[in-house]
Amino acid sequence: MHLATLARHALSRGTTPAATYALLARKPLPSARAVCLALTIPLAETTRRLDDCYDALLANPRTGSETDTGELLEALGVFDVPASLTTTELAVVDHFLIAVDAMGGIRPGHQHGLNRWFTTGNLTAAYLSLAAAHPLPRTGNPTLYWTTLVTAGELLTTTPTPDTRLKYALTHCRTQAATHT
């Protein structure tokens, strides 16, 4: 049976992408590709993602490490299904990118989380994360950071049923923007 078909079957039965990879992982690269394709991640994007982690995770697998490798692939975002974003959501992401630049520097883990949320369309989590952060004192631009987050928050709260946490985070961003103008 074709690996992508097996992966689709396992995923349809509620198996996580990481566990699905572990089930199929006799040949690491084809198995990882099969999981991505079963998740409907486009082939070009699948290839790019797997090229990024091939040397570290898939080139020389250790016997018995299939579960760990699947979990690492999942944590790295290899199995993240790209969301189709609306024009408003794309504008929000643009504002987030401006805010990240205005931070004056960002921890790699925070950047990785933001990229995953942008990919999967979880813009509420990205906003809450940025609202809880602060621009760096020497290299950041607090005025631009907070006013950009206010604009992004206003766009996010125009949805029919915005997450209640967005309203609190937007209030916090407005307070910070007023303090830094």
Side-chain angles (χ1 to χ4, degrees), residues 92 96 99-100 103 106-107 110 113-114 117-118 121-134 145-146 148-150 152-154 156-157 162-173 176:
V92 169
F96 288 163
V100 168
M103 285 179 91
I106 187 168
R107 294 181 337 271
H110 192 187
L114 288 170
W117 291 323
F118 297 165
N122 191 347
L123 301 184
T124 296
Y127 186 75
L128 296 173
S129 174
L130 288 169
H134 296 280
Y145 182 76
W146 294 112
T148 301
L149 286 182
V150 166
E154 289 170 347
L156 282 172
T157 57
D163 188 315
T164 307
R165 299 172 299 166
L166 285 173
K167 294 176 185 178
Y168 293 114
L170 178 55
T171 300
H172 169 72
C173 291
Q176 291 298 318

Side-chain angles (χ1 to χ4, degrees), residues 1-24 34-35 38-39:
M1 195 179 265
H2 192 263
L3 282 176
T5 303
L6 290 171
R8 267 191 295 284
H9 178 71
L11 291 166
S12 73
R13 299 182 59 76
T15 306
T16 66
T20 300
Y21 168 82
L23 288 170
L24 304 175
V35 173
L39 290 165

Side-chain angles (χ1 to χ4, degrees), residues 95-104 135 140-152 173 176-177 180-181:
H95 286 296
F96 288 163
L97 295 173
I98 292 167
V100 168
D101 285 342
M103 285 179 91
N141 181 339
T143 302
L144 179 60
Y145 182 76
W146 294 112
T147 55
T148 301
L149 286 182
V150 166
T151 304
C173 291
Q176 291 298 318
H180 291 94
T181 24

Side-chain angles (χ1 to χ4, degrees), residues 21 25-33 36 46-47 49-62 65-66 69-70 72-73 76 78-79:
Y21 168 82
R26 279 189 178 148
K27 295 180 180 179
L29 182 59
S31 299
R33 184 180 298 113
C36 289
T46 293
T47 302
R49 291 179 188 189
L50 294 176
D51 285 349
D52 287 349
C53 66
Y54 177 77
D55 290 335
L57 294 174
L58 303 171
N60 299 303
R62 290 188 341 260
S65 67
E66 296 84 2
T69 300
L72 279 170
L73 291 169
L76 289 171
V78 171
F79 300 139

